[in-house]
Amino acid sequence: MDTTTNADPQELAKFSELAHRWWDPDSEFRPLHQINPLRLEWIAGFVPLSGKRVLDVGCGGGILADSMARRGADVLGIDLAAKPLKVAQLHAMEAGTASVSYREVAVEALAAESPAAFDVVTCMEMLEHVPDPSSVVRACAALAKPGGWVFFSTINRNPKSFLFAIVGAEHVLQLLPKGTHEFARFIRPSELVGWCREAGLDATATRGLEYNPITRRYWLSADTSVNYLIACRKPG
Ligand code: SAH
């Protein structure tokens, strides 16, 4: 495996270190567990997942990949961190999730190997951990079939997102370990939409993801100033 392509070894190590707690809903991964039903419903609102060939890029321990497989999709999860992938595989075995498999491969390499192979490509909470996110966007676009869907989520870059996603989430509320996110790697929606367009994708919808620290609940909204998701269509 070639991790020199487009991966930060320190980022991968961070996720590997915590991997054994991935499926503990009260662990560092609580935010991913909490947002998963929201993003799953949002995706399924664009494209019914049953019977679809789905790729989850940067799948980690498989929270989203597993839930899409449980909706009847045939899911491949890929990541470059070995331990989260092992945890994902073990979870699938224990939970008896059919039709999900996992592979350690770079998205760019998979795009060269099997272009236009997937009805749906998801890439959630991953772009902000990668040295060249536009290369990931291009690879995701190449992996989608014509007429297929590509979904991204990441974190906006502005003073509010610094305050909420780093100061608030990591230091005040301690929802995430300190150092989980680096401000400079956050991505403005306009930047992401630009990379999508350059990759031949039509960005069709954007949604914000908000958090209330009092109720400890997340919800989707029109406010994309901190966490947000983008739905793209590859022209048929
Ligand atoms: N997408 C999952 C996990 C998000 S955590 C979810 O939303 O539930 C971020 C994941 O991105 C980690 O599993 C990390 O190992 C992975 N990652 C970071 N850099 C990567 C890269 N260059 N290629 C593939 N995966 C990467």
Side-chain angles (χ1 to χ4, degrees):
M1 184 206 50
D2 180 16
T3 44
T4 57
T5 10
N6 182 21
D8 182 337
Q10 282 182 327
E11 291 284 338
L12 300 177
K14 277 196 292 204
F15 289 103
S16 271
E17 254 167 52
L18 302 171
H20 58 288
R21 289 204 288 274
W22 210 289
W23 281 91
D24 175 351
D26 295 317
S27 70
E28 295 85 347
F29 298 100
R30 180 184 168 92
L32 295 182
H33 286 278
Q34 282 200 288
I35 67 175
N36 200 56
L38 296 171
R39 60 194 187 180
L40 179 65
E41 287 310 325
W42 188 69
I43 292 166
F46 291 96
V47 50
L49 290 167
S50 184
K52 297 292 192 303
R53 182 93 183 100
V54 177
L55 174 70
D56 187 25
V57 178
C59 63
I63 294 173
L64 178 64
D66 194 272
S67 68
M68 293 192 292
R70 289 180 169 271
R71 284 285 174 99
D74 179 12
V75 182
L76 172 65
I78 64 169
D79 204 286
L80 287 177
K83 278 194 189 158
L85 283 175
K86 283 220 181 74
V87 167
Q89 249 145 11
L90 270 175
H91 179 86
M93 271 171 58
E94 279 173 9
T97 312
S99 71
V100 66
S101 59
Y102 295 98
R103 219 181 123 185
E104 188 176 330
V105 61
V107 64
E108 291 92 346
L110 189 65
E113 187 185 305
S114 43
F118 296 91
D119 301 298
V120 177
V121 179
T122 56
C123 179
M124 300 288 175
E125 316 302 327
M126 181 268 200
L127 292 174
E128 70 275 18
H129 299 285
V130 169
D132 180 2
S134 67
S135 161
V136 174
V137 171
R138 270 194 304 280
C140 289
L143 283 154
K145 292 179 188 174
W149 288 89
V150 185
F151 300 91
F152 298 103
S153 72
T154 188
I155 306 177
N156 203 336
R157 191 178 70 256
N158 55 48
K160 182 179 168 188
S161 72
F162 178 75
L163 201 64
F164 280 54
I166 295 186
V167 180
E170 294 183 14
H171 297 266
V172 181
L173 303 171
Q174 300 184 2
L175 298 171
L176 296 171
K178 292 183 182 67
T180 298
H181 288 118
E182 192 185 322
F183 181 68
R185 284 211 162 139
F186 289 177
I187 299 165
R188 294 197 185 109
S190 58
E191 293 166 334
L192 183 49
V193 167
W195 297 333
C196 290
R197 196 176 300 128
E198 283 163 23
L201 296 173
D202 298 328
T204 60
T206 309
R207 212 73 182 115
L209 186 63
E210 290 189 74
Y211 180 69
N212 181 330
I214 311 287
T215 59
R216 301 176 81 201
R217 295 281 161 235
Y218 291 87
W219 69 97
L220 296 184
S221 80
D223 182 355
T224 58
S225 58
V226 185
N227 291 86
Y228 66 96
L229 307 100
I230 280 190
C232 302
R233 191 97 204 246
K234 181 161 168 173

